[in-house]
Amino acid sequence: MAYRQQDPYYDSAQSAPTHPGFPPPAPMIHNQQYPDNQWDDRPGSAKSVQSSQFHGSQVHLNPQYEMSQVYSPPVPSMPYHAYQPDYPPVPVRPGPLREMSTGYSVAKEKLMKRRSVRHVELQNGNLVLDVAVPTHIVPKGMSSAEEMTTMRYTAATCDPDEFMRRKYSLRPYLYGRHTELFIVMTMYNEDEVLFVKTMNAVIKNIAHLCGRTRSRTWGPEGWKKVVVCVVSDGRSKVNKRTLQVLTLMGCYQEGIAKDSVGGKDVTAHIFEYTSNVVVTETGEVSTGHCPVQIIFCLKEQNKKKLNSHRWFFNAFGPLINPNVCVLLDVGTKPTSTSIYELWKCFDKHSNVGGACGEICVDTGRACSLLLTSPLAASQNFEYKMSNILDKPLESVFGYISVLPGAFSAYRYRALLNGPDGKGPLASYFKGEAMHGGGADGAGLFERNMYLAEDRILCFEIVTKKRESWILRYVKSAKAATDVPTTVPEFISQRRRWLNGSLFASFHSTIFFYRIWTSGQNPIRMLVLQIEFIYNAIQLIFTWTSLANFYLAFYFLVSSATTSTDGAFNFLSQGAGQDVFQIFLKLYIGLLFVVTVCSLGNRPQGSKWIYALCMVLFGICNIITLWCAGWTVYLAVPHSVAGWKDFPQLVATNQALREIVISLAATYGLYFFSSFMHLEPWHMFTSFIQYMFLLPSYVNILMMYAMCNLHDVTWGTKGDNGSAKDLGGAKKVKGENGKYMMEVEIPTAREDVDRMWAASRSALKVKAPEEKSHRDAATKQADHDRNSRTNVVLAWVGTNTLMIVVFTSQAFLTWVNTHFATSQGSNFNPYLSFLFIALAALSAVRFMGSLLYLILRLFGH
């Protein structure tokens, strides 16, 4: 694809006209153009399912044809130049619906019963159906535009890698359109609220592209250069209310999909429609500012997110052949210009192979989540500081260690494999086989490494031979995402992140020399070499973080409690040593408890133990910070005169030099850099929560991750079976002697309209909140593991408590005070108790043995 620099990057506010835009949709009444008795005879119906446009539409796969020879009727131009900056649009109030039931299940049952059998020809051996969409979503005056009046269904019976070789096709390719942006939204079982949040944000971004009327790339017809692909991981897992939203948009219809074609199992159901509908989570329908080309890929089986990306990149990518691919998770909400900002980075810099924006925590209305959830607040601080300190640094070097899969973009050409089949995409999808049971002898190191497949992809792009790609961070591209707010979810999420990132970092550090063959210029190569050295040092500190945190606690607290001016003298003179001993043993005990729980329990089964450990670790950190502050207080002068010669003070005062400068270099840097980026608010709303939970990030998350290296799953179980409940397409011989497919599909227009209305009504009723329940086997396993953990902790805890009590300084002082003067300095009352108890027990055993012999002697 020829690279083009085409956008002058003007101020969008100057280019957005305010006059009315796209005309309103047709009123919500029954279609009069095609009466019910003529429904089977209209173009695009089941009987004439192969329209003139798609008949023989796979000729582009024959080398003797050129793209210009493929017939594609012109799509009527539409007045999208009238871009409206106010968004979202005003909802359209429905007109009267003719005797349509509002019950979704009733409408679905009626539609399934009224389906008719039709014979359709295969297109190059593939089942492709063009079916009319509901009357209510066809734009006024667009009845001749097939992409807006019919939905295209393709039943794929192949692996994603075989999609193009099996002569499947997609509408954007058949129309011969150049695709500048190819956006994928991956989902599993997300509800309609999360789906609508992401989809409407994407639609808003496309509207922004269409509103850039002075751009040489975008403008009123810019929507033709954007394709949105929604990939759902497993038909049995998809949320039914999310399907209802897609039904309202025209991208899904009940009763169309088939689970087999000619005896071959269907692997993915592909629905294509150019929609002009915006749907809210409550079923309100309104007209969008521009159409959106949507591909909805509903996978038959649940095969994880990586497989969804393989459908996107390996199945659809070669046909769409985009310039830039944008990755989004359903639930992530980009701002209205974020996708354009990412694209602009690629357009301005031809050597950019990948880019990411700033991922922010969705803090709720008026930042309410930060006030109600310390866990969310700590993650908000972590995300913010990463976007302020880490990502800009890596972007300057040219290699960002990870472009988050929730919101990132890649140049498609940079992802492609070489002629030998090796390259970024091949490495990216290597983990799918490993975690799907086909590890082919891969060790634990490699399988953990590929848990962080996005890190592997970034490394492969930058080190791709002789192509000199770099990665960039685009701060102006922002997206909000949800974060875990419960302890079990948080620990489970970080387990995969930490294990994957740790081993992927080892991989990139070991193979750093591959940048020498990446085609980078000497200066860039030197800069990248420095970054890899920096990353290696960071990796060492990550590996030793558990010990470093404990030693910092030990030395700070011990130094502040041994002097005469101890940090806890306000309690009593010399109380610091007792406080130090108590919290030292508490810290070690917490490490032991976390280790035992991490080795055998799921976080969901021991959530209260983990929560208690987080609180106690937080208290330990409060003690540490108090001691650090007290040490600094003692080290600095307490008069104005003492601060006059500050350089001399720093040179002569070692405590001031080491503690104050180190604290200023960390926490002071947080404040300074946040104000420098004009984003200081997280320092006031989230800093305290982050400091309280900081020990848990090191001691609990790292411990759980390392104790579960054997778990190389994404946390969800795969689905190896298919529910055969859709019906199949059977091969039959037609009247002309040709083989055709016999399918059962809806043919009554009123049934399709009724399903649309029922979906809309169903969304208006708020779904009951579903609490996740463990199945009986999982619940019993969690109970058994928890019981085992409690017994182990009780046994070891009791013995440890005795050791701590009878070896503590307080007990020894008590002994010396009450017993040493009369019975010698080596006396210990517990030792005497132990000897006497053992002697007594031995005496009882002896007496029992003697009594047994006496009884035997007298014949008893």
Side-chain angles (χ1 to χ4, degrees), residues 278-356:
V278 177
V279 182
T280 68
E281 61 192 65
T282 58
E284 293 296 330
V285 179
S286 54
T287 302
H289 291 305
C290 62
V292 180
Q293 300 180 95
I294 298 176
I295 300 172
F296 174 44
C297 176
L298 178 60
K299 291 159 52 182
E300 182 65 25
Q301 298 178 11
N302 168 225
K303 291 192 173 182
K304 313 288 180 57
K305 179 180 175 180
L306 209 54
N307 180 265
S308 298
H309 278 170
R310 195 152 65 89
W311 276 100
F312 174 73
F313 285 118
N314 290 2
F316 307 146
L319 286 171
I320 301 295
N321 194 24
N323 181 22
V324 176
C325 299
V326 179
L327 275 57
L328 278 171
D329 286 347
V330 168
T332 302
K333 181 182 179 181
T335 58
S336 60
T337 61
S338 291
I339 293 178
Y340 170 76
E341 295 293 342
L342 282 180
W343 172 85
K344 184 170 69 174
C345 178
F346 290 94
D347 196 52
K348 289 176 67 177
H349 308 284
S350 60
N351 64 334
V352 172
C356 70

Side-chain angles (χ1 to χ4, degrees), residues 20 91 101-102 153 187 212 255 426 432 475 502 555 582 600 627 634 644 661 682 699 768 815:
S101 172
T102 58
Y153 168 73
M187 65 180 181
R212 304 189 71 89
E432 184 186 353
K475 188 171 181 60
L502 178 66
F555 291 127
I582 291 173
C627 292
L634 295 179
K644 288 184 177 180
I661 293 180
H682 59 280
N699 297 312
V815 169

Side-chain angles (χ1 to χ4, degrees), residues 504-522:
S505 298
F506 274 117
H507 174 78
S508 61
T509 302
I510 293 171
F511 294 98
F512 73 94
Y513 56 84
R514 288 179 53 185
I515 62 171
W516 300 342
T517 59
S518 62
Q520 307 283 356
N521 62 66

Side-chain angles (χ1 to χ4, degrees), residues 21-29 31 78-80 84 89-95 133-143 148 248-249 273-279 284-290 756 760:
F22 184 69
M28 293 189 175
I29 57 174
N31 190 0
M78 306 173 73
Y80 298 123
Q84 294 178 339
V90 180
V92 178
R93 297 195 176 275
V133 298
T135 311
H136 324 295
I137 65 174
V138 178
K140 186 177 180 180
M142 293 295 109
S143 58
M148 299 184 189
L248 294 181
M249 297 181 69
Y273 179 65
T274 301
S275 178
N276 196 56
V277 177
V278 177
V279 182
E284 293 296 330
V285 179
S286 54
T287 302
H289 291 305
C290 62
W756 189 91
R760 189 167 182 267

Side-chain angles (χ1 to χ4, degrees), residues 313 439 481 553 817:
F313 285 118
T481 189
F553 164 80
T817 302

Side-chain angles (χ1 to χ4, degrees), residues 51 222 270 286 335 349 439 515 518 569 602 630 635 650 663 704 841:
S51 64
I270 302 165
S286 54
T335 58
H349 308 284
I515 62 171
S518 62
N569 281 355
R602 295 191 319 136
W630 183 259
V650 173
L663 290 176
Y704 182 80
L841 291 174

Side-chain angles (χ1 to χ4, degrees), residues 675-686:
F675 278 96
M676 185 175 65
H677 283 260
L678 302 178
E679 294 182 350
W681 310 117
H682 59 280
M683 298 300 303
F684 304 104
T685 61
S686 306

